[in-house]
Amino acid sequence: MANNRLESLVGQTAIYGLSSIIGRFLNYLLVPLYTYKICAEAGGPDAYGIVTNLYAWTALLLVVLTFGMETTFFRFANKEGADSNKTFSTAAIAVGFVSLVFIFLVSVFLGPITEMLHYANSTSDIQHYANHPEYIEFMAVIVALDAFQAILFARLRFENRAVKFASLKLLFIFLSIGMNLFIFLLAPSLKERFPSLMGWYESSYQVGYIFIVNLICTILVTFGFIPEIKKLKFGVDFSLLKKMLNYTWPLLLLGLAGILNQVADKICYRFIVPPEDGGDEQLGIYGACVKIAMIMAMITQAFRYAYEPFVFGGKRDTADKENQAKVMKYFIIFTLLAFLAVVMYMPILKYIIKSDYWEGLRIVPIVMMAEIFMGIYFNLSFWYKLTDQTWWGAVFSGIGCAALLAINFKFVPTHGYIACAWGGFVGYAICMVLSYFVGQKKAPIPYDLKSAFTYFALAIALYFSQKYIRIDNIIWTLVVNMCLLLIFVAFICWNENDLVKVVLGKLKKEAS
């Protein structure tokens, strides 16, 4: 029975991971497209630094608008005697209402917001928010719809409908890629050949088209949720909503602290290092190199999508705790394997970004390790979620975020964006350690620390081995790195028979 649950988790994670990895890879293709069509003409890394800053704000707003209701839905929908339809309807309507209020407030205070986001010291076309306030309105609607869709996607995860989940995610990606290619590559030539037919197209409005494409794709994906939206007919249970809000407000603080751990450096960088001192250029290099490290974020996100319903739907017994301990070990193994794969193949992966940004590649291993710590912290967080003590998460994440900000403000002026990477590393490490020690007192789980430390030690040793082995030939460099990677894989196969059986068992079932 335990192996069946683990096989199910492996299968669900694979489907979620496939949509995340394919989606993120295709989004990578938009980076050079935007860079050459918009950013390069406006100063290269400087302009990309502004893009990095803007998307950091967007990520922060999404956390505010969802205010922890995804996890809250899972918690209350899995309680004994709970009505999952009523719980879903209550959560979705609550998030939808907050999102509508957000759109209204943005419309009312559009003037002050556009002034705040007006990059007066930048030469990039993206600074034209003051002249194009509709950009802000577009983004407000997009973020609001994304927040509402987050609960709809949570419903799919609750019902273990990973295929529909992945299909809708990929639908958005393919629509977005297709429309962006049309706007930036095909439309300009069509404008010259068929000016009357393409009268709507203005080459100077490229930034606006990015938002419009995003908005159209988001709206179209929403139609895929019509069956789930129909379930809103169950209305709002205000007594239940009160309980859910009591549970979720610490999750909001936790989410804010967590997202700030990811984006605070990108938001604050322009305040610490002004654009006239090269702040935008440094932030652009940092933001581009972080994209390479985000393969770890894909893995942790896919794992999170599958693991939340796995844990909340499990029994609170010794066997379930042993499963959680096993999953923690397997998570560490696979993320360290991904870490090594990225650093070993960096000679190839670096071509994802332009050579103008390569000087920042040194931050990739640091950011990836920080993401591993974040994933471990997520694993450790279930003790306070399952015991309804979510305020602990807000405390841990708040302390970690404070450490991140302190490192940024102290060391960025002298060390640049490398301090941002180390800030995230230290911030997540603190969250991870605090959650482990407090959790073991409140709701102990028999984690295999010896194995965890062994795998970390081996991965770090192999990382430094490839770092200091100097070979001028790129082919031989990759061959040596592949051998080092195979050492880690061989060590896994030698020590983890149960893991190999689970993975092979799932593959055999899928093949049949």
Side-chain angles (χ1 to χ4, degrees), residues 208-408:
Y209 291 137
I210 293 177
F211 297 118
I212 292 172
V213 166
N214 198 337
L215 178 59
I216 292 173
C217 294
T218 303
I219 291 172
L220 291 175
V221 168
T222 304
F223 285 108
F225 285 109
I226 290 177
E228 287 71 31
I229 292 174
K230 287 180 178 179
K231 293 180 181 179
L232 298 182
K233 65 183 179 182
F234 291 94
V236 177
D237 183 332
F238 287 98
S239 175
L240 174 62
L241 178 60
K242 183 178 179 181
K243 295 176 183 177
M244 294 176 76
L245 290 176
N246 286 334
Y247 180 87
T248 201
W249 74 261
L251 291 179
L252 171 59
L253 299 179
L254 169 63
L256 285 173
I259 197 65
L260 283 173
N261 276 330
Q262 298 179 44
V263 303
D265 49 359
K266 304 171 186 68
I267 290 175
C268 297
Y269 205 94
R270 301 183 83 248
F271 297 102
I272 301 172
V273 183
E276 59 268 25
D277 294 336
D280 284 343
E281 180 179 1
Q282 294 176 30
L283 182 58
I285 293 172
Y286 176 62
C289 291
V290 163
K291 285 191 173 295
I292 296 178
M294 282 302 100
I295 188 173
M296 195 61 69
M298 298 179 216
I299 294 172
T300 55
Q301 183 184 57
F303 175 79
R304 173 177 174 265
Y305 285 153
Y307 197 48
E308 275 189 325
F310 175 87
V311 174
F312 282 116
K315 297 179 180 179
R316 311 291 178 258
D317 56 17
T318 301
D320 198 63
K321 289 185 177 182
E322 291 176 354
N323 273 338
Q324 289 186 50
K326 282 184 179 180
V327 170
M328 171 69 88
K329 182 171 72 169
Y330 298 161
F331 174 81
I332 290 172
I333 290 171
F334 279 116
T335 51
L336 288 175
L337 179 61
F339 168 83
L340 289 174
V342 171
V343 297
M344 298 298 182
Y345 286 95
M346 189 62 69
I348 296 175
L349 291 175
K350 67 182 181 180
Y351 288 98
I352 291 174
I353 57 177
K354 290 181 64 179
S355 58
D356 296 358
Y357 303 86
W358 287 358
E359 68 177 75
L361 291 173
R362 56 193 171 132
I363 63 99
V364 172
I366 305 170
V367 174
M368 290 190 72
M369 193 58 68
E371 288 289 335
I372 293 177
F373 291 165
M374 188 272 284
I376 295 174
Y377 173 46
F378 171 78
N379 268 276
L380 295 169
S381 70
F382 282 100
W383 71 262
Y384 57 74
K385 293 176 181 177
L386 290 170
T387 57
D388 295 347
Q389 300 180 63
T390 48
W391 59 272
W392 276 108
V395 172
F396 300 149
S397 295
I399 294 172
C401 185
L404 179 148
L405 290 172
I407 291 173
N408 273 261

Side-chain angles (χ1 to χ4, degrees), residues 6-22:
L6 290 176
E7 285 181 18
S8 175
L9 177 63
V10 170
Q12 298 283 313
T13 304
I15 296 174
Y16 292 131
L18 180 64
S19 63
S20 290
I21 291 171
I22 293 176

Side-chain angles (χ1 to χ4, degrees), residues 44-272:
D46 298 67
Y48 200 78
I50 296 172
V51 173
T52 301
N53 180 264
L54 286 173
Y55 277 100
W57 281 107
T58 302
L60 181 63
L61 285 171
L62 186 59
V63 170
V64 173
L65 295 182
T66 52
F67 55 95
M69 269 294 175
E70 292 173 272
T71 300
T72 301
F73 163 67
F74 284 118
R75 174 59 175 153
F76 281 82
N78 281 292
K79 284 191 173 183
E80 186 175 351
D83 183 340
S84 61
N85 288 324
K86 179 69 72 174
T87 306
F88 164 71
S89 179
T90 299
I93 291 174
V95 171
F97 175 76
V98 171
S99 298
L100 288 174
V101 171
F102 169 72
I103 294 173
F104 172 76
L105 291 175
V106 169
S107 299
V108 171
F109 297 102
L110 189 59
I113 293 173
T114 54
E115 285 298 319
M116 182 186 71
L117 294 179
H118 179 54
Y119 296 93
N121 294 319
S122 172
T123 59
S124 170
D125 287 341
I126 300 178
Q127 69 172 316
H128 288 170
Y129 282 108
N131 299 326
H132 296 285
E134 71 273 14
Y135 294 173
I136 306 300
E137 292 181 301
F138 292 153
M139 282 305 299
V141 177
I142 291 167
V143 174
L145 283 173
D146 282 342
F148 182 62
Q149 285 184 7
I151 308 302
L152 302 178
F153 276 116
R155 175 78 189 196
L156 297 180
R157 291 159 56 200
F158 173 76
E159 296 175 342
N160 292 320
R161 297 166 66 191
V163 173
K164 181 172 181 179
F165 180 103
S167 298
L168 290 175
K169 289 287 186 182
L170 291 176
L171 174 63
F172 176 88
I173 294 298
F174 286 120
L175 286 173
S176 179
I177 294 289
M179 294 180 71
N180 272 285
L181 292 176
F182 174 77
I183 291 292
F184 290 99
L185 298 182
L186 188 58
S189 60
L190 290 177
K191 174 75 171 181
E192 294 179 1
R193 296 177 61 185
F194 309 102
S196 59
L197 183 63
M198 298 291 293
W200 56 270
Y201 179 80
E202 293 291 339
S203 59
S204 60
Y205 199 68
Q206 289 179 332
V207 173
Y209 291 137
I210 293 177
F211 297 118
I212 292 172
V213 166
N214 198 337
L215 178 59
I216 292 173
C217 294
T218 303
I219 291 172
L220 291 175
V221 168
T222 304
F223 285 108
F225 285 109
I226 290 177
E228 287 71 31
I229 292 174
K230 287 180 178 179
K231 293 180 181 179
L232 298 182
K233 65 183 179 182
F234 291 94
V236 177
D237 183 332
F238 287 98
S239 175
L240 174 62
L241 178 60
K242 183 178 179 181
K243 295 176 183 177
M244 294 176 76
L245 290 176
N246 286 334
Y247 180 87
T248 201
W249 74 261
L251 291 179
L252 171 59
L253 299 179
L254 169 63
L256 285 173
I259 197 65
L260 283 173
N261 276 330
Q262 298 179 44
V263 303
D265 49 359
K266 304 171 186 68
I267 290 175
C268 297
Y269 205 94
R270 301 183 83 248
F271 297 102
I272 301 172

